[in-house]
Amino acid sequence: QLHSQFRWLVPERFNIAEVCCRRWAQAPDAAQRVAIHADGAGVEAVSHTYAELQHQANRLSNALAGLRVKPGDRVAIIMPQRFETAVAYMAVLQMGAVAMPLSILFGPEALQYRLQDSEAVVALCDDSAIMNLLEARNTCEPLRHVIGLGGGADAMADLDYVELLARHPAEFKPEPTLADDPAVLIYTSGTTGNPKG
C-alpha cells in the first residue's frame, strides 16, 4: 500500500543549488554549519561552512555571468574533489546553466570530443588537467574562456580563478529554474563508440 500510494512531490520551480547549499547558508547558524571537511595525505585538514561555500559560489556566478554565461549554457568542470569543485557546481547550478563534469584523467582527444559535442562555453580546471585542456580547446570554437586554479593553471589559463572571484560581489540572485530544466550533462565512457551525453 505504501509503495502504490507513493508520489514524488516535485514543485514547479526547483534549483539544486538552493536545496544543497543556499537554504543552509541562510540558516541562523550558517557561520558554524560545516558543508565540507577536507582532509587527506599531505594536506592540513580544513572545514568550510555553508556560508563560505555560498559566498564563493555567488562570486563565481557573478564572474560567469560577466563572461556571458546564460541559463542553459554548458560549463565544463575538470577538477578533482576539492572545495572549489563544489563552489563551481553550486555557482553553475544556481544560475541555471548546465554543469558538465569531465574526468581529470581524460586526454586531449576525450576532452575535445565532449567539449565540442556539448558546445561548452567555459571550462574550469586546475593543474591536473590544464595541459590536456589547452591542447583540446584548439578545435572547440564555442569554448570562449578557460579558468585556471592554482598550480600554474592560473597562469596558463585565460583567467585566474582567485583573481576572477576577488573582482565580483558575494551576493547573487539565483535563477528561478523549473524542476525539469537541464542541470547536469554527463557523458558515457565511450567504450563502445563515441561518448553520448
Side-chain angles (χ1 to χ4, degrees):
Q1 182 182 9
L2 181 65
H3 181 271
S4 65
Q5 292 179 352
F6 178 81
R7 299 291 180 270
W8 287 108
L9 301 176
V10 181
E12 179 185 4
R13 300 209 170 268
F14 183 85
N15 186 285
I16 298 171
E18 173 71 31
V19 175
C20 291
C21 185
R22 182 175 290 274
R23 68 175 174 168
W24 303 110
Q26 293 174 340
D29 61 345
Q32 291 81 38
R33 193 181 286 250
V34 174
I36 296 173
H37 182 75
D39 198 357
V43 297
E44 186 177 338
V46 61
S47 294
H48 301 279
T49 65
Y50 279 98
E52 182 183 358
L53 176 58
Q54 187 63 55
H55 287 151
Q56 294 299 307
N58 289 346
R59 290 182 188 280
L60 183 54
S61 291
N62 284 313
L64 292 172
L67 297 174
R68 303 188 330 272
V69 174
K70 305 179 302 301
D73 282 347
R74 274 72 63 211
V75 177
I77 301 171
I78 317 163
M79 292 196 288
Q81 294 184 21
R82 57 186 297 168
F83 175 66
E84 293 83 3
T85 305
V87 169
Y89 279 102
M90 294 304 107
V92 171
L93 294 170
Q94 74 176 351
M95 61 189 307
V98 178
M100 186 173 69
L102 295 175
S103 173
I104 60 172
L105 301 178
F106 284 153
E109 288 183 15
L111 289 172
Q112 185 275 333
Y113 181 85
R114 291 160 176 83
L115 291 167
Q116 186 70 30
D117 185 68
S118 67
E119 299 181 342
V121 297
V122 173
L124 292 100
C125 72
D126 64 5
D127 59 319
S128 62
I130 187 66
M131 297 301 291
N132 288 333
L133 176 57
L134 292 179
E135 188 176 334
R137 91 176 294 194
N138 293 333
T139 55
C140 299
E141 189 176 332
L143 186 60
R144 299 189 304 256
H145 304 283
V146 172
I147 301 170
L149 172 62
D154 47 5
M156 290 188 280
D158 305 329
L159 299 160
D160 177 330
Y161 176 94
V162 173
E163 289 182 5
L164 185 65
L165 265 64
R167 296 197 308 258
H168 290 86
E171 294 81 34
F172 181 83
K173 182 179 179 185
E175 188 71 21
T177 53
L178 296 170
D180 59 356
D181 282 344
V184 180
L185 174 58
I186 299 174
Y187 275 83
T188 60
S189 64
T191 51
T192 58
N194 286 333
K196 298 163 188 67

